[in-house]
Amino acid sequence: MCRQFQAFLLLILCIAGSAHAQSNGTDPVDLVNPLMGTASKPSLSNGNTYPAIAVPWGMNFWTPQTGKMGDGWAYTYDADKIRGFKQTHQPSPWMNDYGQFSVMPGTGKLKFNQDDRASWFSHKSEIVKPYYYSVYLADADVTTELTTTERAAQFQFTFPKTDSAFVVIDAFDKGSYIKIIPKERKIIGYSTRYARGPLPNFKNYFVIYFDQPFALNHTWHANTLAKDTLEMTSTHAGAIVGFKTAKGQQVHMQVASSFISFEQADISLKRELGKDNFEATKKKSRAIWNATLSKIKVEGGTPEQTKTFYSSLYRTLFFPNKLYELDAKQQIVHWSPYNGKTLPGYMFAGTGFWDTFRALYPFLNLMYPSINKEMQEGLINDYKEGGWLPEWSSPGYANIMIGNNSASVVSDAYIKGMRGYDIETLYQALTHGANNEGPISAVGRAGVKYYNELGYVPYDVKINENAARTLEYAYDDFTIYQLGRALNKPKAETEIYAKRAMNYKNLFDPASGLMRGKNKDGSFQSPFSPFKWGDAFTEGNSWHYSWSVFQDINGLVKLMGGNKNFVNKLDSVFILPPTFDDSYYGGVIHEIREMQIANMGQYAHGNQPIQHMIYLYNYAGAPWKTQYWVRETMNRMYQATPDGYCGDEDNGQTSAWYVFSAMGFYPVTPATDQYVLGAPLFKKITLSLENGKTVQINAAANSARNKYVQTMQYNGKPYEKNWLSHAELLKGAVLNFSMSATPDLQRGTKESAFPYSLSTDPGR
């Protein structure tokens, strides 16, 4: 190779590399790895995620499907084959999916069975972005690309030269319908498959258009190809349409769906795709992601930290997802999972409040309040149509998990400034849910009669996870008290909830210094092992749940013997070995295994109950220990890789913990105005709030060694408190952290610096 050509080639490569680096460096969407957390399985979760190709809070997501039809593990990183490209609404593999269907291109012999049509693929020929997915399907010699809007998607199939190129549409089993309309190059169908129900009048209607005429068309059912009909209703229906293609020829497909009707699906497709080609939709989706992710700008971290931050932020922007649609008059309407009717107004689905009340909803209230206002309006419709607020919506009431944490979600939104919706109806929904058992155990309060009379749910009355229920009900009562005060409800009415908020004390066992199940007669459960998972607790043990006194940590400190003893008790969580008793479950559940292998003692960050515990050092005069353990957890438990989480990601909650912690603070007690301080991860973070104000967080000396806060300034003035005010942050702020490799053992040690506790509330 001549020197001149070598120099020219080097120049071209440098320019291309510079452009690539600039794009990756300046656009946060390019830093997201949607495969973070996908190297998971039922016995060990590293996230239990799938690559969701969508727009933020979109009604429909799309994902490559490596798992079998109906398998909650739709996409796993170690899989070799893709079976299809699935429209999904799945919040987690444990909850599984609803309203799913898939498409899959092929060549050669017609193959429609999910195993027969599956194709080998490699991550080396896979491009995964929040707004775009591309993969080479080796067995078919086809490259598939897809990009999405809120309710529609565009596909681009690049075929080889063949007389038998085809696309399979799979409407899945449990009852489905398909119809091919060749003159319009159109396919319509519906799926009725769902995992959690019952769901009255449930159908996910879809419409599909191709830009090429069909050279062949067949419907199929089960394993039988039907050659005599273009319309099929069956337990498991599907279609195949074929094309004759030249080498490199692209066939384009547009698809949209609706829970209301075929006509509504068509309306959404035409509105959201219009005359846009594939690249135009891709460009618009990318711009939406960039605008949404750019609300937070981080600077001065390592490339790995920056990628992990934006990959985690991406995960906070999906659930709950929109269940509502815009009709022909652009009126907001929704199919109701509670009564099967089409009704006006907002509706969201796909989240469990047991997980997300802790950090995900507070995060929305800080950074994306307008979408949470829509969600609150959706909750009003949940209550009006179903009679209860959902604690797990998938998309209707799912009978799983415990607590009455809708109270926290509703109260925190209002206390953080949400306005312009019917809060009185939501307050009514909270008091109704707090004082009644629901038709299933996961709405209202199971054991509410015992709880209201005795101050706890007894261990020996055949109500499972009773201690966990008691602790969560007590916190939920606190949030109702807070909302009632904010709404100027009569003191006699709100004081009931303030009193019940102290019910946590009824389960404190002085002998062990931990929370313990209590029998109906007032005696503690016996025998008692603080290492026993489940039983009186939910997906954890007493070491995990004893800190679930979000509303009154000061009171918990006193129960545990004062600040020094409390700090020692917190330390014990990390010092103890990862001992466990799995006898309640009859085997090791994945949450236990994730704690065991993390090498952080009894600290089980892979599940939600203990995630706030690290921040509790701030309530007892040892904030530097919070700073140490927050940094340790971020460094050790998160990475933008397929095994990058340490347990279930859970609808944005585990990601929201990281995002908040990287910013330097965390909402220990939703339904108060406060965030508890940790220490920022980056040298500079800028929050662009929806009201036009900015919060700038500076920590110029931040580094792997310099993880401790020496001093802090708030708007140029020394700041000694261990907490920040949400209302003050909304005014705009500049926070300057002076960081050091050694902890400051004096800052934040006075009680005047401690965060909120109900027992020290001056308003009481």
Side-chain angles (χ1 to χ4, degrees), residues 587-719:
V588 178
I589 62 173
H590 76 93
E591 290 92 348
I592 294 176
R593 188 69 72 208
E594 289 141 19
M595 180 198 76
Q596 181 194 28
I597 66 177
N599 194 26
M600 292 183 77
Q602 286 291 314
Y603 184 66
H605 190 79
N607 211 19
Q608 280 65 43
I610 203 170
Q611 286 181 349
H612 68 293
M613 166 256 167
I614 289 175
Y615 284 88
L616 302 189
Y617 287 106
N618 283 283
Y619 295 75
W624 63 90
K625 293 196 173 188
T626 289
Q627 295 156 24
Y628 173 83
W629 284 114
V630 166
R631 184 68 65 91
E632 281 291 296
T633 303
M634 285 193 287
N635 287 346
R636 291 163 60 175
M637 299 294 142
Y638 292 82
Q639 194 171 2
T641 57
D643 64 345
Y645 290 105
C646 58
D648 286 348
E649 196 283 322
D650 279 331
N651 308 118
Q653 165 57 31
T654 299
S655 294
W657 186 96
Y658 184 91
V659 172
F660 263 125
S661 295
M663 295 191 299
F665 51 92
Y666 186 80
V668 169
T669 313
T672 69
D673 179 62
Q674 293 186 3
Y675 304 103
V676 179
L677 281 168
L681 180 63
F682 296 90
K683 295 182 185 296
K684 184 178 180 181
I685 305 173
T686 305
L687 313 181
S688 297
L689 305 180
E690 281 191 359
N691 65 3
K693 304 292 185 179
T694 60
V695 176
Q696 190 170 304
I697 304 163
N698 301 311
N702 220 339
S703 68
R705 292 184 69 249
N706 295 346
K707 55 193 167 194
Y708 297 105
V709 177
Q710 284 288 338
T711 61
M712 178 185 168
Q713 290 187 334
Y714 192 110
N715 289 342
K717 297 180 180 179
Y719 192 81

Side-chain angles (χ1 to χ4, degrees), residues 265-403:
D266 250 327
I267 289 167
S268 293
L269 186 146
K270 291 177 171 62
R271 177 183 292 118
E272 296 186 9
L273 298 181
K275 296 182 179 180
D276 288 350
N277 61 17
F278 184 92
E279 286 301 321
T281 299
K282 176 182 170 184
K283 184 177 180 180
K284 287 180 179 179
S285 181
R286 187 179 193 279
I288 291 169
W289 273 109
N290 258 331
T292 309
L293 293 166
S294 294
K295 295 295 184 182
I296 306 179
K297 182 180 181 181
V298 300
E299 302 173 74
T302 66
E304 291 74 19
Q305 288 169 335
T306 306
K307 290 175 183 176
T308 302
F309 181 88
Y310 283 112
S311 298
S312 296
L313 181 57
Y314 154 83
R315 287 286 169 192
T316 69
L317 304 177
F318 284 118
F319 293 104
N321 60 309
K322 295 174 180 177
L323 204 65
Y324 70 82
E325 307 174 48
L326 278 72
D327 67 14
K329 297 179 180 179
Q330 300 205 49
Q331 299 297 307
I332 294 168
V333 293
H334 66 270
W335 161 80
S336 172
Y338 308 107
N339 58 31
K341 298 177 181 178
T342 298
L343 297 167
Y346 291 102
M347 182 68 65
F348 287 78
T351 194
F353 294 155
W354 184 84
D355 303 292
T356 53
F357 84 83
R358 304 163 195 269
L360 186 278
Y361 277 93
F363 179 66
L364 298 181
N365 288 331
L366 177 64
M367 295 306 307
Y368 306 97
S370 59
I371 192 68
N372 197 19
K373 180 177 178 290
E374 289 187 12
M375 293 171 186
Q376 298 299 310
E377 295 191 59
L379 288 174
I380 294 168
N381 291 325
D382 289 324
Y383 177 60
K384 287 180 176 179
E385 294 161 27
W388 305 85
L389 291 179
E391 304 298 336
W392 234 118
S393 59
S394 187
Y397 300 126
N399 198 18
I400 190 170
M401 304 310 293
I402 67 155

Side-chain angles (χ1 to χ4, degrees), residues 350-490:
T351 194
F353 294 155
W354 184 84
D355 303 292
T356 53
F357 84 83
R358 304 163 195 269
L360 186 278
Y361 277 93
F363 179 66
L364 298 181
N365 288 331
L366 177 64
M367 295 306 307
Y368 306 97
S370 59
I371 192 68
N372 197 19
K373 180 177 178 290
E374 289 187 12
M375 293 171 186
Q376 298 299 310
E377 295 191 59
L379 288 174
I380 294 168
N381 291 325
D382 289 324
Y383 177 60
K384 287 180 176 179
E385 294 161 27
W388 305 85
L389 291 179
E391 304 298 336
W392 234 118
S393 59
S394 187
Y397 300 126
N399 198 18
I400 190 170
M401 304 310 293
I402 67 155
N404 182 216
N405 299 307
S406 55
S408 178
V409 171
V410 169
S411 300
D412 190 56
Y414 191 81
I415 286 163
K416 297 283 177 60
M418 304 298 106
R419 295 295 185 272
Y421 55 95
D422 184 3
I423 189 62
E424 289 293 338
T425 294
L426 282 177
Y427 180 75
Q428 177 188 330
L430 298 194
T431 56
H432 173 69
N435 292 289
N436 294 280
E437 289 195 345
I440 55 176
S441 63
V443 299
R445 292 187 179 181
V448 68
K449 187 173 185 294
Y450 293 111
Y451 175 80
N452 287 352
E453 291 179 2
L454 300 175
Y456 60 94
V457 181
Y459 179 80
D460 58 348
V461 296
K462 298 183 179 180
I463 298 175
N464 66 335
E465 303 167 17
N466 38 81
R469 292 181 193 275
T470 298
L471 293 169
E472 293 197 24
Y473 294 167
Y475 164 69
D476 298 329
D477 282 329
F478 164 77
T479 69
I480 297 172
Y481 164 69
Q482 287 285 87
L483 180 58
R485 280 207 301 181
L487 295 175
N488 295 313
K489 297 299 179 184

Side-chain angles (χ1 to χ4, degrees), residues 494-661:
T494 60
E495 279 300 310
I496 295 170
Y497 298 101
K499 181 180 178 181
R500 291 177 185 169
M502 293 298 184
N503 281 344
Y504 72 89
K505 295 182 179 181
N506 296 328
L507 295 189
F508 184 77
D509 171 28
S512 63
L514 296 169
M515 298 295 173
R516 181 174 175 180
K518 182 177 279 189
N519 295 319
K520 186 179 178 182
D521 65 6
S523 62
F524 281 112
Q525 68 168 105
S526 183
F528 169 67
S529 168
F531 302 108
K532 186 176 184 180
W533 282 63
D535 198 17
F537 301 100
T538 302
E539 295 181 1
N541 62 33
S542 183
W543 277 108
H544 306 145
Y545 251 98
S546 290
W547 316 105
S548 293
V549 187
F550 313 92
Q551 70 276 22
D552 192 28
I553 299 301
N554 178 267
L556 184 63
V557 170
K558 290 177 179 175
L559 287 178
M560 289 185 172
N563 290 347
K564 183 177 180 181
N565 287 345
F566 184 77
V567 169
N568 289 341
K569 203 77 169 181
L570 291 169
D571 288 343
S572 297
V573 171
F574 300 106
I575 294 169
L576 286 166
T579 303
F580 61 85
D581 174 353
D582 63 0
S583 60
Y584 176 77
Y585 297 110
V588 178
I589 62 173
H590 76 93
E591 290 92 348
I592 294 176
R593 188 69 72 208
E594 289 141 19
M595 180 198 76
Q596 181 194 28
I597 66 177
N599 194 26
M600 292 183 77
Q602 286 291 314
Y603 184 66
H605 190 79
N607 211 19
Q608 280 65 43
I610 203 170
Q611 286 181 349
H612 68 293
M613 166 256 167
I614 289 175
Y615 284 88
L616 302 189
Y617 287 106
N618 283 283
Y619 295 75
W624 63 90
K625 293 196 173 188
T626 289
Q627 295 156 24
Y628 173 83
W629 284 114
V630 166
R631 184 68 65 91
E632 281 291 296
T633 303
M634 285 193 287
N635 287 346
R636 291 163 60 175
M637 299 294 142
Y638 292 82
Q639 194 171 2
T641 57
D643 64 345
Y645 290 105
C646 58
D648 286 348
E649 196 283 322
D650 279 331
N651 308 118
Q653 165 57 31
T654 299
S655 294
W657 186 96
Y658 184 91
V659 172
F660 263 125
S661 295

Side-chain angles (χ1 to χ4, degrees), residues 74-86:
Y75 178 101
T76 51
Y77 190 78
D78 62 353
D80 301 313
K81 292 184 176 182
I82 287 175
R83 287 182 165 86
F85 301 90
K86 184 173 80 159

